Amino acid sequence: MDFQHRAGGKTGSGGVASASESNRDRRERLRQLALETIDINKDPYFMKNHLGSYECKLCLTLHNNEGSYLAHTQGKKHQTNLARRAAKEAKEAPAQPAPAKVKVEVKKFVKIGRPGYKVTKQRDPETGQQSLLFQVRNDMKTSRILN
């Protein structure tokens, strides 16, 4: 049989790589390129577990190799979780200097109509005991007793 006129094949070239072989080679090239540009040991979310696989501590995902982890870091799930973590830290950061000044705000209530009673919190100045004072108005127009 004459092999020299087949597509992609030259005599002595070893033949054409299959799709799986070319994918494996492409992934290996991308992994090597990513390892050169990104220092994976400085990533705070990267962890190698006792089984030899890799984990993302942010997303709680498992990866079989470093290339898979690096691909995950560029993906939607990891980027979303990074944004969520950054928003959470930004929200909590300004809250820390606040305790220097303690101020209690008075709650404001919207009153509709006139209530038939009034409840007041009290404190006995001598003993410090707290109590509630209930004042019931007796000049209400109509009063009903429901059974």
Side-chain angles (χ1 to χ4, degrees), residues 32-65:
Q32 290 298 330
L33 179 65
L35 285 174
E36 290 172 9
T37 57
I38 300 170
D39 187 8
I40 203 165
N41 295 323
K42 290 183 180 177
D43 189 345
Y45 306 116
F46 175 75
M47 184 177 78
K48 187 172 182 177
N49 65 15
H50 67 285
L51 299 173
S53 58
Y54 304 97
E55 292 184 37
C56 176
K57 292 192 279 186
L58 178 66
C59 307
L60 303 175
T61 54
L62 290 173
H63 305 278
N64 292 329
N65 53 40

Coordinates of all heavy atoms in Angstrom, one line a residue, residues 32-65:
Q32 N 2.2 24.1 31.4 CA 3.6 24.6 31.5 C 3.7 26.1 31.4 O 4.4 26.7 32.1 CB 4.5 23.9 30.4 CG 4.8 22.5 30.6 CD 5.5 22.2 31.9 OE1 6.3 23.0 32.4 NE2 5.2 21.0 32.5
L33 N 2.9 26.6 30.4 CA 2.8 28.1 30.3 C 2.3 28.8 31.5 O 2.8 29.8 32.0 CB 2.0 28.4 29.1 CG 1.8 29.9 28.7 CD1 3.2 30.5 28.4 CD2 0.9 30.1 27.6
A34 N 1.2 28.2 32.1 CA 0.6 28.8 33.3 C 1.5 28.7 34.5 O 1.6 29.6 35.3 CB -0.7 28.0 33.6
L35 N 2.3 27.6 34.6 CA 3.2 27.4 35.7 C 4.3 28.4 35.6 O 4.9 28.8 36.7 CB 3.7 26.0 35.8 CG 2.8 24.9 36.3 CD1 3.4 23.5 36.1 CD2 2.4 25.2 37.7
E36 N 4.7 28.8 34.4 CA 5.8 29.8 34.3 C 5.3 31.2 34.6 O 6.0 32.0 35.2 CB 6.3 29.8 32.8 CG 7.0 28.6 32.4 CD 7.3 28.5 30.9 OE1 7.1 29.6 30.2 OE2 7.8 27.5 30.4
T37 N 4.0 31.5 34.4 CA 3.5 32.8 34.6 C 2.9 33.0 36.0 O 3.0 34.1 36.5 CB 2.5 33.2 33.6 OG1 1.4 32.2 33.6 CG2 3.1 33.2 32.2
I38 N 2.4 31.9 36.6 CA 1.7 32.0 37.9 C 2.4 31.2 38.9 O 2.7 30.0 38.6 CB 0.2 31.6 37.8 CG1 -0.5 32.4 36.8 CG2 -0.5 31.6 39.1 CD1 -1.9 31.9 36.4
D39 N 2.8 31.7 40.0 CA 3.4 31.0 41.1 C 2.3 30.4 41.9 O 1.6 31.1 42.7 CB 4.3 31.8 41.9 CG 5.1 31.0 43.0 OD1 5.0 29.7 42.9 OD2 5.8 31.6 43.8
I40 N 2.0 29.1 41.8 CA 0.9 28.4 42.4 C 1.1 28.3 43.9 O 0.1 28.3 44.7 CB 0.7 27.0 41.8 CG1 -0.7 26.6 42.0 CG2 1.6 26.0 42.3 CD1 -1.1 25.4 41.1
N41 N 2.3 28.4 44.4 CA 2.6 28.3 45.8 C 2.2 29.5 46.6 O 2.0 29.5 47.8 CB 4.0 27.9 46.1 CG 4.4 26.5 45.6 OD1 3.6 25.6 45.6 ND2 5.5 26.4 45.0
K42 N 2.1 30.6 45.9 CA 1.7 31.9 46.5 C 0.2 32.1 46.6 O -0.3 33.0 47.2 CB 2.3 33.1 45.8 CG 3.8 33.2 46.0 CD 4.4 34.4 45.4 CE 5.9 34.5 45.6 NZ 6.4 35.6 44.9
D43 N -0.6 31.2 45.9 CA -2.0 31.3 45.9 C -2.6 30.9 47.3 O -2.3 29.7 47.8 CB -2.6 30.3 44.8 CG -4.1 30.5 44.6 OD1 -4.7 31.1 45.5 OD2 -4.6 30.0 43.6
P44 N -3.3 31.7 48.0 CA -3.8 31.4 49.3 C -4.9 30.3 49.4 O -5.1 29.7 50.4 CB -4.3 32.7 49.9 CG -4.7 33.5 48.7 CD -3.7 33.1 47.6
Y45 N -5.5 30.0 48.3 CA -6.6 29.1 48.2 C -6.1 27.7 47.7 O -6.9 26.8 47.7 CB -7.7 29.6 47.3 CG -8.2 31.0 47.8 CD1 -8.1 32.0 46.9 CD2 -8.7 31.2 49.0 CE1 -8.5 33.3 47.3 CE2 -9.1 32.4 49.4 CZ -9.0 33.5 48.6 OH -9.4 34.7 48.9
F46 N -4.9 27.6 47.3 CA -4.3 26.3 46.8 C -3.9 25.4 47.9 O -3.2 25.9 48.8 CB -3.2 26.6 45.8 CG -2.5 25.4 45.3 CD1 -3.1 24.6 44.3 CD2 -1.3 25.0 45.7 CE1 -2.5 23.5 43.8 CE2 -0.6 23.9 45.3 CZ -1.2 23.1 44.3
M47 N -4.3 24.1 47.8 CA -3.8 23.2 48.8 C -3.7 21.8 48.2 O -4.6 21.4 47.4 CB -4.8 23.2 50.0 CG -4.4 22.3 51.1 SD -5.6 22.3 52.5 CE -6.8 21.3 51.9
K48 N -2.6 21.1 48.5 CA -2.5 19.8 48.1 C -2.8 18.9 49.3 O -2.3 19.0 50.4 CB -1.0 19.5 47.7 CG -0.8 18.2 47.1 CD 0.6 18.1 46.5 CE 0.8 16.7 45.8 NZ 2.1 16.6 45.2
N49 N -3.8 17.9 49.0 CA -4.2 17.1 50.1 C -3.4 15.8 50.3 O -2.5 15.6 49.5 CB -5.7 16.8 50.0 CG -6.1 16.0 48.8 OD1 -5.2 15.4 48.2 ND2 -7.3 15.9 48.5
H50 N -3.7 15.0 51.2 CA -2.9 13.8 51.5 C -3.1 12.7 50.5 O -2.3 11.8 50.4 CB -3.4 13.2 52.9 CG -4.8 12.7 52.9 ND1 -5.9 13.5 52.9 CD2 -5.2 11.4 52.9 CE1 -6.9 12.7 52.9 NE2 -6.6 11.5 52.9
L51 N -4.0 12.9 49.6 CA -4.2 11.9 48.5 C -3.4 12.3 47.3 O -3.4 11.5 46.3 CB -5.7 11.8 48.2 CG -6.6 11.3 49.3 CD1 -8.1 11.4 48.9 CD2 -6.3 9.9 49.7
G52 N -2.8 13.4 47.2 CA -2.1 13.9 46.1 C -2.9 14.7 45.1 O -2.3 15.1 44.1
S53 N -4.1 14.9 45.4 CA -4.9 15.8 44.5 C -4.9 17.2 45.1 O -4.4 17.4 46.2 CB -6.4 15.3 44.4 OG -7.0 15.2 45.6
Y54 N -5.4 18.1 44.3 CA -5.4 19.5 44.7 C -6.7 20.1 45.0 O -7.7 19.7 44.4 CB -4.7 20.3 43.5 CG -3.4 19.8 43.1 CD1 -3.3 18.9 42.1 CD2 -2.3 20.1 43.8 CE1 -2.0 18.4 41.7 CE2 -1.0 19.6 43.5 CZ -0.9 18.8 42.4 OH 0.3 18.2 42.1
E55 N -6.8 21.0 46.0 CA -8.1 21.6 46.4 C -8.0 23.1 46.3 O -7.0 23.7 46.5 CB -8.3 21.2 47.9 CG -8.6 19.8 48.1 CD -9.0 19.5 49.6 OE1 -9.6 20.3 50.2 OE2 -8.5 18.4 50.1
C56 N -9.2 23.7 46.0 CA -9.4 25.1 46.1 C -10.1 25.3 47.4 O -11.3 24.9 47.5 CB -10.2 25.6 44.9 SG -10.6 27.4 45.0
K57 N -9.5 26.0 48.4 CA -10.1 26.2 49.7 C -11.2 27.2 49.6 O -12.1 27.2 50.5 CB -9.1 26.6 50.7 CG -8.1 25.6 51.0 CD -7.2 25.9 52.2 CE -6.1 26.8 51.8 NZ -5.2 27.1 52.9
L58 N -11.2 28.1 48.6 CA -12.3 29.1 48.4 C -13.6 28.4 47.9 O -14.6 28.7 48.5 CB -11.8 30.2 47.5 CG -12.8 31.3 47.2 CD1 -13.1 32.1 48.4 CD2 -12.3 32.1 46.0
C59 N -13.5 27.6 46.9 CA -14.7 27.0 46.3 C -14.9 25.6 46.8 O -16.0 25.0 46.4 CB -14.5 27.0 44.8 SG -14.1 28.6 44.1
L60 N -14.0 25.0 47.5 CA -14.1 23.6 48.0 C -14.2 22.6 46.8 O -15.1 21.7 46.8 CB -15.3 23.5 49.0 CG -15.3 24.4 50.2 CD1 -16.6 24.2 51.0 CD2 -14.1 24.1 51.0
T61 N -13.4 22.8 45.8 CA -13.4 21.9 44.7 C -12.1 21.1 44.7 O -11.1 21.5 45.2 CB -13.5 22.7 43.4 OG1 -12.4 23.7 43.3 CG2 -14.8 23.4 43.2
L62 N -12.2 19.8 44.1 CA -11.0 19.0 44.0 C -10.5 18.9 42.6 O -11.4 18.9 41.6 CB -11.4 17.5 44.4 CG -11.7 17.3 45.9 CD1 -12.2 15.9 46.1 CD2 -10.4 17.5 46.7
H63 N -9.2 18.8 42.4 CA -8.6 18.8 41.1 C -7.6 17.7 41.0 O -6.8 17.6 42.0 CB -8.0 20.2 40.7 CG -9.1 21.3 40.8 ND1 -10.0 21.6 39.8 CD2 -9.3 22.1 41.8 CE1 -10.7 22.5 40.2 NE2 -10.4 22.9 41.5
N64 N -7.5 17.0 39.9 CA -6.5 15.9 39.8 C -5.1 16.4 39.5 O -4.2 15.7 39.9 CB -7.0 15.0 38.7 CG -8.2 14.2 39.0 OD1 -8.5 14.0 40.2 ND2 -9.1 13.9 38.1
N65 N -5.0 17.6 38.9 CA -3.6 18.0 38.6 C -3.6 19.6 38.7 O -4.6 20.2 38.8 CB -3.2 17.6 37.2 CG -4.1 17.9 36.1 OD1 -4.7 19.0 36.1 ND2 -4.3 17.0 35.2

